[in-house]
Amino acid sequence: MATATATAADERVSGSSALGKVFKRPEVGALVAAIAVFVFFAVTTDTFATASGASTWLRSASTIGIMAVAVALLMIGGEFDLSAGAMTGFTGLAVGVMTTEWGLNIWAAMLVSLVLALGIGLLNGVLVMRTGLPSFIVTLGTFFVLQGINLAAVKAIIGQVAIQGMTNVPFYDQPHALFGSNVEIAGGRVYASVFWWILVTAVATWVLLKTRVGNWIFAVGGAQISARQVGVPVARTKIGLFMTTAGAGWLVGMLLLFTTSTVQSNTGVGQEFIYIICAVVGGCLLTGGYGSAVGAALGALIYGMTNQGIVYAGWDNNWLKAFLGVMLLGAVLLNEAVRRRAERSR
């Protein structure tokens, strides 16, 4: 009898421990919030939960989600990138100018655009690590440089601030199939960006949880000095994270360009704060060393559902800004409480 009682007690403790580990995951709060937002708009609107409605908010969430995941990795590593939004417009504009104005092969233009993006990410990382300046300041400077190029340089070259005629570019259909196509599922259209979003989230999660690089990312964000002392390549890791964010900006730029066949000079401007909000809602701490790629993807899903849900409900679109502010504050407070509780339980 005593043995049976002890075994039952062990099972209860084991179950409680497993449940406790689940609730300590960074993305749990975002998952609960995503379910709540979905149920609310599904009940209060007629279109939100339909196939066509879901197609709209999934497409909206996907490009935000790709960037939010990359920004989350950078935030876990203890840094920020305020140029991430402008980068999405810069890469699309670069491809548009090189193909429609200069006649460069579209695949070559995409490759040049990627190299430019990675080069800017490399520059951001090197400046942060070599100067010791906050990444907030360095990337704010990069943001203004990219914004100026997107507006002034593009206007000087093509005489306007929007790319036109992409569909007439030779071989346009090839990258369009990869980045801008869609498939019909259950009566709704699922765009390529959604599949790219899932892929990026899966790869980022694998890197964070299953690789040595993931351990380095958590280490440099949580305790940079200690990480360096035990042999973690701090500079290389952080520079790699800046380049990853820039690479994600290129990917989103291609998705936007080939989905709509155009891009404007103000594309992506202001989105950098939404990426950060999604990452924080997904469990990332502003101080680094803690977070989740899945959580950031869920944060983007919440944004996409709310953005379209407000439209379907017939509300004033400006309420979205108020919602983002409340969501950010609530997420910061919740993440801090979870972190403190986790530290006490160690």
Side-chain angles (χ1 to χ4, degrees):
M1 178 66 74
T3 302
T5 303
T7 301
D10 288 342
E11 290 176 350
R12 288 196 298 270
V13 171
S14 176
S16 176
S17 177
L19 186 62
K21 289 181 179 179
V22 170
F23 281 107
K24 288 177 183 177
R25 290 293 306 160
E27 62 270 13
V28 170
L31 176 61
V32 173
I35 294 172
V37 170
F38 176 84
V39 171
F40 176 79
F41 285 115
V43 170
T44 58
T45 69
D46 296 327
T47 309
F48 182 84
T50 64
S52 60
S55 173
T56 303
W57 49 260
L58 280 174
R59 178 183 172 187
S60 173
S62 60
T63 51
I64 296 292
I66 291 170
M67 290 305 301
V69 168
V71 167
L73 295 180
L74 185 61
M75 289 179 64
I76 294 171
E79 305 294 346
F80 294 93
D81 188 351
L82 296 184
S83 67
M87 182 66 75
T88 64
F90 171 77
T91 53
L93 289 166
V95 172
V97 169
M98 285 187 283
T99 53
T100 62
E101 292 295 315
W102 298 343
L104 189 64
N105 174 272
I106 194 165
W107 289 106
M110 292 168 62
L111 179 60
V112 172
S113 177
L114 175 59
V115 171
L116 289 173
L118 294 178
I120 293 170
L122 174 64
L123 178 63
N124 281 338
V126 170
L127 285 175
V128 169
M129 298 310 299
R130 290 290 180 86
T131 66
L133 291 171
S135 55
F136 180 92
I137 298 299
V138 172
T139 58
L140 181 62
T142 309
F143 161 77
F144 281 116
V145 171
L146 290 178
Q147 188 178 21
I149 292 173
N150 291 354
L151 289 166
V154 171
K155 189 174 182 180
I157 295 171
I158 67 175
Q160 56 185 355
V161 293
I163 299 296
Q164 303 292 339
M166 280 299 300
T167 55
N168 299 323
V169 172
F171 309 111
Y172 170 84
D173 290 342
Q174 294 177 0
H176 171 75
L178 186 60
F179 297 105
S181 60
N182 62 78
V183 295
E184 186 170 335
I185 299 177
R189 294 191 177 278
V190 181
Y191 287 84
S193 58
V194 176
F195 298 108
W196 280 104
W197 177 30
I198 295 171
L199 177 62
V200 168
T201 303
V203 171
T205 300
W206 174 75
V207 169
L208 278 178
L209 301 181
K210 299 295 183 179
T211 70
R212 183 172 58 176
V213 173
N215 293 333
W216 290 349
I217 293 172
F218 282 109
V220 300
Q224 179 172 308
I225 295 176
S226 299
R228 182 179 283 111
Q229 290 173 343
V230 297
V232 173
V234 174
R236 188 171 51 175
T237 301
K238 292 203 173 191
I239 291 172
L241 289 172
F242 278 107
M243 293 179 70
T244 298
T245 304
W250 174 85
L251 174 57
V252 170
M254 298 306 98
L255 291 169
L256 294 174
L257 176 63
F258 291 108
T259 299
T260 63
S261 74
T262 187
V263 62
Q264 297 183 348
S265 293
N266 64 352
T267 296
V269 174
Q271 297 289 303
E272 53 279 341
F273 293 110
I274 293 177
Y275 306 151
I276 293 173
I277 290 172
C278 291
V280 172
V281 168
C284 289
L285 293 179
L286 296 174
T287 52
Y290 185 83
S292 162
V294 172
L298 288 171
L301 180 62
I302 293 171
Y303 172 83
M305 290 192 295
T306 305
N307 187 31
Q308 293 301 318
I310 287 175
V311 174
Y312 293 146
W315 301 349
D316 188 329
N317 286 343
N318 292 313
W319 282 113
L320 176 64
K321 304 298 183 183
F323 174 81
L324 289 175
V326 172
M327 190 167 63
L328 176 62
L329 290 173
V332 169
L333 294 174
L334 178 61
N335 292 345
E336 184 64 19
V338 170
R339 183 186 65 82
R340 290 180 178 178
R341 182 175 179 180
E343 288 180 348
R344 286 197 301 266
S345 63
R346 289 176 183 175

